[in-house]
Amino acid sequence: MLFATSKQARHPNVGVVPIIIHIMLIALFGGCGESGPTLPEFGEERTFSDHREIDVRFESGDAVLAGTVHLPLTGGPHPAVAVNPGSSWTVRATWSDVQPFVSQIGTGVLTYDKRRNGQSTGTCCSSDPNELFSMLADDVVAAAQALRAVGDIDPSRIGVIGSSQGGWIVPISANRAPEVISFSVVTVGGAVSTGQENLYDPLTGYDICQPTGSTINEIIDQLKAAGPSGFDPRASLEALAQPAIWIFGENDLSHPTALAVEILEEIRGVFQKDWTIVVLPNANHDLIENGTICQTEGPLADVFTPLRDWFAKEFP
């Protein structure tokens, strides 16, 4: 599922590109002082019974990122989203992961191999969240720019989506490229500081997948008393000018939904933001309905009704 996160999500995953792929990429995209082809570069379109796919390579800083664009069968122009991999994805999502988004909402979706993973090159990843988020924000901006070159995509309706850790990164990327990114979608993350989320995990028992028995109100009071620390997204949220939708799980014991919603509603009111905030009853951090504390698979809560309604409102 596109919205799936993982218990190890907040720890950067660093893979190793196989040396033969690395050598091939150097030969293809530039080496020995010779300039390679202008990127993005697209492969041949593949048509299936329910969608189309196009592989793409695009540059971001020191990296050449490899991904796949998934498209509806019908001709465009379609809105599209570039998926920020955050720490949940090390390689690009598969069709089964993105299928509901493409089929139910009718958007194109670009997912890509994270830096230094799969077929992507580049250095990754800093342990400093400010440096890490900045680098990954540049990557998702590059992905959004690549989407503009896809013929069936409407360049005026390209957005970015991120879950969990990706929720901190999405507003940074949108602020950096407002001429490219026209909307944001964030699930189960993005409003509290990294320090507060890291404190929330042991207080709820998410770090050991065993509830502590403390009430959410008691825990939220402790988070407020501790205050923001580490990376604090408030500045990027206050600067965010594009429409956005946030979707949370009411029973999320990894990201403090109640505090996140309070912060977002405060900023929305003060700065008159075009934001929609949705809390799904009985959904956990992976938006599994009635899921246990760390459950990652099972019946997904109704994520797509609010998304369809939001897309219809923003892009009639």
Side-chain angles (χ1 to χ4, degrees):
M1 295 174 294
L2 185 58
F3 302 113
T5 59
S6 63
K7 179 165 171 57
Q8 59 270 31
R10 60 189 45 75
H11 303 293
N13 291 298
V14 180
V16 179
V17 177
I19 188 64
I20 188 169
I21 294 177
H22 183 66
I23 293 171
M24 289 170 65
L25 286 171
I26 291 174
L28 181 60
F29 296 112
C32 302
E34 299 177 1
S35 60
T38 301
L39 299 182
E41 183 178 76
F42 295 92
E44 293 294 323
E45 182 177 298
R46 302 183 296 274
T47 302
F48 301 90
S49 61
D50 52 359
H51 72 289
R52 296 171 290 147
E53 292 180 0
I54 308 171
D55 290 333
V56 60
R57 297 183 190 278
F58 54 95
E59 293 178 324
S60 178
D62 68 337
V64 173
L65 304 177
T68 300
V69 182
H70 301 266
L71 294 163
L73 282 177
T74 57
H78 300 288
V81 291
V83 180
N84 185 294
S87 55
S88 298
W89 306 99
T90 53
V91 294
R92 73 195 78 174
T94 64
W95 166 241
S96 62
D97 296 315
V98 305
Q99 183 270 336
F101 218 94
V102 178
S103 299
Q104 296 190 41
I105 301 178
T107 68
V109 178
L110 169 56
T111 69
Y112 52 93
D113 299 338
K114 191 176 179 179
R115 288 169 159 265
R116 207 179 169 190
N117 286 270
Q119 296 178 11
S120 292
T121 66
T123 57
C124 190
C125 291
S126 173
S127 59
D128 180 339
N130 291 282
E131 293 179 5
L132 173 65
F133 297 167
S134 179
M135 179 182 66
L136 296 181
D138 283 342
D139 289 352
V140 78
V141 167
Q145 289 171 328
L147 277 170
R148 302 184 85 183
V150 179
D152 280 351
I153 297 301
D154 182 349
S156 69
R157 295 188 294 166
I158 292 173
V160 290
I161 181 171
S163 293
S164 195
Q165 184 199 79
W168 287 307
I169 299 163
V170 161
I172 301 172
S173 61
N175 289 334
R176 288 185 180 174
E179 73 286 355
V180 176
I181 297 169
S182 62
F183 64 90
S184 299
V185 178
V186 177
T187 65
V188 296
V192 306
S193 72
T194 55
Q196 287 169 307
E197 178 169 312
N198 289 337
L199 176 60
Y200 186 68
D201 276 13
L203 291 175
T204 63
Y206 186 83
D207 59 336
I208 58 172
C209 294
Q210 182 65 47
T212 61
S214 298
T215 69
I216 294 299
N217 288 339
E218 291 170 342
I219 294 171
I220 295 300
D221 286 343
Q222 292 182 66
L223 298 185
K224 289 180 177 180
S229 61
F231 173 79
D232 185 354
R234 178 172 285 270
S236 58
L237 292 172
E238 291 179 353
L240 185 63
Q242 299 93 321
I245 181 170
W246 267 266
I247 299 179
F248 297 97
E250 181 182 41
N251 296 339
D252 188 338
L253 298 185
S254 176
H255 188 82
T257 291
L259 181 56
V261 170
E262 182 178 317
I263 292 169
L264 291 173
E265 288 181 340
E266 176 200 343
I267 295 173
R268 179 175 62 178
V270 171
F271 294 93
Q272 298 298 296
K273 302 291 188 180
D274 182 8
W275 291 354
T276 296
I277 303 168
V278 178
V279 177
L280 299 176
N282 306 314
N284 71 2
H285 185 60
D286 281 80
L287 299 181
I288 303 301
E289 192 163 28
N290 297 313
T292 58
I293 185 169
C294 291
Q295 185 175 341
T296 60
E297 296 182 359
L300 191 67
D302 185 8
V303 178
F304 291 99
T305 294
L307 277 172
R308 281 194 303 268
D309 292 346
W310 184 77
F311 270 87
K313 173 177 73 76
E314 294 294 337
F315 307 108

